Amino acid sequence: TNPLRPQEQKRNRRNTTEIMSDGEEPIQEPPQPTFDWLPDGHEPLADGEYDAIIMGTGLKECVISGLLSVKGKKVLHIDRNGYYGADCASLNLTNLFEKFQAGEVPSYLGSNRDYNVDLIPKFIMACGNLTKMLLHTKVTRYLEFKSIDGSYVYNAGKILKVPATPEEALKSPLMGLFEKRRFRKFLMFVDQYKADDSSTHEGRDLTKLTMKELYLEFGLVDDTHEFISHAMCLQTDNAHLHEPALQTVLELQIYCYSLARYGTSPYIYPVYGLGGLPEGFSRLCAIHGGTFMLNRDIDEIEFDSNGQAIGVKSGKEMARAKMVIGDPSYFPRDKIRPTGQVVRCICFLNHPIPSTNDNESAQIIIPGPQVNRKNDIFVCSVSSSHAVSARGIHIAIVSTKMELGKPEDEIAPGLALLGHIMQRFTTVATTYEPISDGSDDQCFISASFDGTSHFENDCDDLLSLYKRVTGEELDMTINADSVEA
């Protein structure tokens, strides 16, 4: 059941008189508010006037609506679907099979109520920006998290564990003996590095030194560059090697801090799936007076003579606002541009992914160069331990950015790691980003979710969206150590 009930749409509340029983005075219902801007034959949508209208209940939109309502803004939040989460919803079996028009649900998958299958599955970096947002807004009170059991990298045809401790690093088959010592020395440098303390720099200026040059300074070989960059720094291609090292080193620090926090992997994931995240932020918005309408599509965004968004129209109902915020699917094509395509394949298995130590949950990164690709392939798996499937059923998802326009070929190296697949669903989604920052037209548009199995890049977009909407940076100084998992 949904924790929020969208406000009943206020319809047909004309000046009606209620007929009361014996001798009671009739009670006049208050007239529906009228507005100068409302054309004849139209009614206000909900309360009519808002500070912000938000379209789509995806994670980014729900975070923004929650944060705006906490700041005292009057928010109307609309979604064309009958559930929260938009593209990043978690569906039960019936809804999943219906969405993919896959016919009857097979009985071997078990009970419908045991499933919460993410349409866009991603793990959360334990000490990363999304965790900070959850803590900052106290949305953690609505959610329970558990750590992911293992983080792996594909190397030379094998699935190998990314070392979680210095001891594991010394035993790892990813590196030879002397390389392990150099790797340890490199990690020690990264661990103590502070951008604002030159005594930790060891004479290296990471704003000028490229990542490739930094690796070479420590004598690390190409294979080691690859697994550090792709499996730990979460770079999705090799462009970063020729850019200043600072940003990549900071990303490696977050990985190492997150790993130290839980020991098994740097990732956490909500019990009952990612659908709880947008619901949690929606609850925050509702508590602070936000209005929600599900099953309500927007026919058009209204603009004034200067080309600025001033509201939305749905059927014969209209609402006005100072700004319109939403995911790309709600905006005219001249406001967005395609950035590529992502293929995702949701697979049901009756076993853990082979070579992952029988873990109930895992992430495997296949660096693109390992399989003659530019972009990495991501494999993640979850199971009943996170309350997203029936006992004994594992859900594995393979995703990547398309390069050749052949979905099955692009994810084949990931599917090959899964063993027997009972059932699978493949989607190809075009990803979009806004053409402008929204300052000229008051249309503030999020970018589509990327093809990775984590939220780090999406959080960058969310922070950018928050700054564009409010004109200020979101305070991210909070310590991310306090989410229990």
Side-chain angles (χ1 to χ4, degrees), residues 4-269:
L4 291 165
R5 289 193 177 279
Q7 174 174 308
E8 288 296 319
Q9 291 136 19
K10 299 172 180 173
R11 292 178 175 275
N12 303 322
R13 284 174 55 188
R14 298 286 177 207
N15 280 342
T16 53
T17 303
E18 291 187 16
I19 299 171
M20 311 302 287
S21 58
D22 301 338
E24 286 185 15
E25 286 292 317
I27 298 173
Q28 201 81 8
E29 191 176 309
Q32 186 166 10
T34 57
F35 301 96
D36 295 340
W37 50 261
L38 198 62
D40 287 344
H42 288 73
E43 294 182 8
L45 181 61
D47 289 342
E49 291 186 344
Y50 291 88
D51 292 313
I53 294 170
I54 300 179
M55 302 179 296
T57 54
L59 177 60
K60 295 177 191 179
E61 289 70 35
C62 288
V63 172
I64 295 293
S65 73
L67 292 170
L68 287 180
S69 62
V70 168
K71 288 168 74 75
K73 303 294 184 186
K74 189 176 181 185
V75 174
L76 173 62
H77 204 147
I78 298 172
D79 196 303
R80 62 172 71 94
N81 300 304
Y83 51 81
Y84 288 85
D87 286 344
C88 54
S90 303
L91 303 184
N92 63 25
L93 275 185
T94 307
N95 291 341
L96 183 74
F97 273 71
E98 203 173 281
K99 181 177 176 62
F100 287 98
Q101 299 175 341
E104 288 291 307
V105 178
S107 58
Y108 60 74
L109 288 177
S111 172
N112 190 41
R113 68 173 181 271
D114 290 336
Y115 285 83
N116 296 285
V117 183
D118 297 328
L119 294 177
I120 298 184
K122 285 175 177 276
F123 293 154
I124 300 166
M125 187 66 75
C127 295
N129 280 336
L130 182 54
T131 305
K132 289 183 178 181
M133 288 178 204
L134 290 162
L135 289 165
H136 179 89
T137 54
K138 299 184 171 58
V139 167
T140 43
R141 74 181 80 167
Y142 309 130
L143 299 162
E144 181 187 348
F145 293 87
K146 289 180 76 171
S147 61
I148 296 301
D149 292 338
S151 177
Y152 297 84
V153 64
Y154 179 85
N155 180 272
K158 295 179 180 174
I159 298 174
L160 301 175
K161 191 171 189 301
V162 178
T165 63
E167 292 72 30
E168 276 192 12
L170 291 174
K171 295 176 188 169
S172 172
L174 278 164
M175 298 165 284
L177 179 61
F178 295 110
E179 185 72 356
K180 286 171 182 171
R181 292 178 185 171
R182 293 188 286 265
F183 173 66
R184 187 168 178 273
K185 194 175 175 187
F186 171 74
L187 282 189
M188 287 167 68
F189 166 73
V190 169
D191 182 59
Q192 57 83 49
Y193 178 85
K194 293 185 177 68
D196 55 0
D197 181 356
S198 59
S199 69
T200 66
H201 296 182
E202 297 180 6
R204 299 181 179 93
D205 183 352
L206 299 193
T207 62
K208 294 192 172 74
L209 199 69
T210 68
M211 197 63 205
K212 179 86 171 175
E213 289 166 344
L214 181 63
Y215 283 143
L216 293 176
E217 284 214 359
F218 282 90
L220 297 169
V221 301
D222 284 353
D223 269 4
T224 309
H225 305 180
E226 185 178 272
F227 101 75
I228 295 173
S229 284
H230 292 260
M232 299 175 78
C233 306
L234 304 180
Q235 296 291 344
T236 56
D237 57 33
N238 282 339
H240 69 285
L241 290 174
H242 311 292
E243 294 167 358
L246 180 60
Q247 189 56 40
T248 306
V249 165
L250 294 177
E251 284 158 2
L252 181 54
Q253 284 185 339
I254 291 170
Y255 184 97
C256 293
Y257 298 158
S258 299
L259 187 55
R261 179 83 178 86
Y262 296 114
T264 55
S265 85
Y267 304 107
I268 57 175
Y269 178 84

Side-chain angles (χ1 to χ4, degrees), residues 387-435:
V388 295
S389 66
R391 189 170 294 281
I393 304 293
H394 295 251
I395 302 171
I397 300 91
V398 182
S399 60
T400 190
K401 185 171 182 177
M402 297 247 289
E403 295 176 7
L404 307 169
K406 298 177 179 175
E408 292 295 321
D409 293 352
E410 314 241 0
I411 54 174
L415 294 176
L417 304 180
L418 301 184
H420 174 64
I421 300 169
M422 295 193 293
Q423 181 98 24
R424 65 187 174 104
F425 305 96
T426 303
T427 60
V428 176
T430 301
T431 54
Y432 294 94
E433 67 180 9
I435 286 172

